[in-house]
Amino acid sequence: MIIVTGAAGFIGSAYIWKLNEMGINDILAVDKLRFEDKWLNLRKRDYADWCDRDELFDWLAVEENAKKVTAVLHMGAISATTERDGDLLMKNNYEYSKKLWNFCAEREITYVYASSAATYGAGEQGYSDEGTPEELKKLLPLNKYGYSKKFFDDWAFKQEKAPKQWIGAKFFNVYGPQEFHKGRMASMVFHTFNQFNTDGGVKLFKSHKEGYRDGEQLRDFVYIKDVVDMLYFCMFNKVPSGVYNIGTGEARSFHDLSMETMKNASGNFDLKTEEVIEFVPMPEDLRGKYQYFTEASMRKMREAGYDKKFYSLEEGVADYVKYLKKEDSYL
């Protein structure tokens, strides 16, 4: 049995979709549904059982349950980069991750967990996942969320007792179906599609950093189908333990992303920037914590044996918009 935490969330539910596509349904889905609509992410999925995230360790304490587990994909976390409660972040993103690590180490099973590109901070030291533990320890995240993820990465490297195989997945800017519940934290493709359909255009942040024009802030945008393919590859192959970037290796601008979205949404591929984009000031709470450039080094993942071609920005946006146009937009 494979445990997937954050099972009703964006990446967790998409990974269950991937497992189902590969004929796997012996899955324990772990999450909290509360009052959000993220339950819809699981409506089409096939999994063996459900467990509330607060009851997982009670479930694992039963030997009959624990001995069935072959791997854990830990996507359950507070993923809002604007979360201000540091204690809450450390409890959910650090302590909970440690407890799952210890279970996997004791049982000698595979553990794949969510790290983040937010650990790289402003990118002063680049975006390579190939550094030594001491080099990676020097990274300076820009927010508490990134720090909670980095702190667990640092802790993992120091452990003498480890899972049979462990992978820390450093996600860059993921977009695609299954993110509809995320509100402000959903991708720019999602927001652009909805703003364009409502207002006929989109608002992008002005630049507040020299060397970057308005809307030309750069991100490594990675499509959800590439993300789950890489996670599946890491879980089911003999990939050396460590942290791995989950991106494409190509930075693109928010301007490009938004224009591609609006062109695909409208079917008009001759749209001009001045017709559909308004540049607005960035909120004060983001300015000092904002990454103006991210681009994953993907050499380590490639050298581990992953050889699939990534979706280009144009291909990924076109595929996602097809889902957004459907009445049922889920995988």
Side-chain angles (χ1 to χ4, degrees), residues 195-236:
Q195 285 183 36
F196 179 70
N197 285 338
T198 301
D199 304 325
V202 67
K203 295 179 179 180
L204 294 183
F205 289 148
K206 290 182 177 180
S207 173
H208 296 272
K209 185 173 183 178
E210 187 176 349
Y212 289 88
R213 294 180 296 175
D214 294 343
E216 293 298 326
Q217 301 94 329
L218 300 167
R219 289 286 190 280
D220 191 328
F221 298 106
V222 55
Y223 193 40
I224 188 64
K225 292 182 180 179
D226 282 331
V227 169
V228 296
D229 279 351
M230 282 185 270
L231 292 175
Y232 185 88
F233 170 79
C234 288
M235 182 172 282
F236 290 94

Side-chain angles (χ1 to χ4, degrees), residues 297-309:
S297 167
M298 297 306 296
R299 185 171 65 180
K300 186 175 179 181
M301 179 67 74
R302 291 303 195 191
E303 289 182 349
Y306 186 82
D307 59 4
K308 283 191 175 182
K309 177 183 177 294

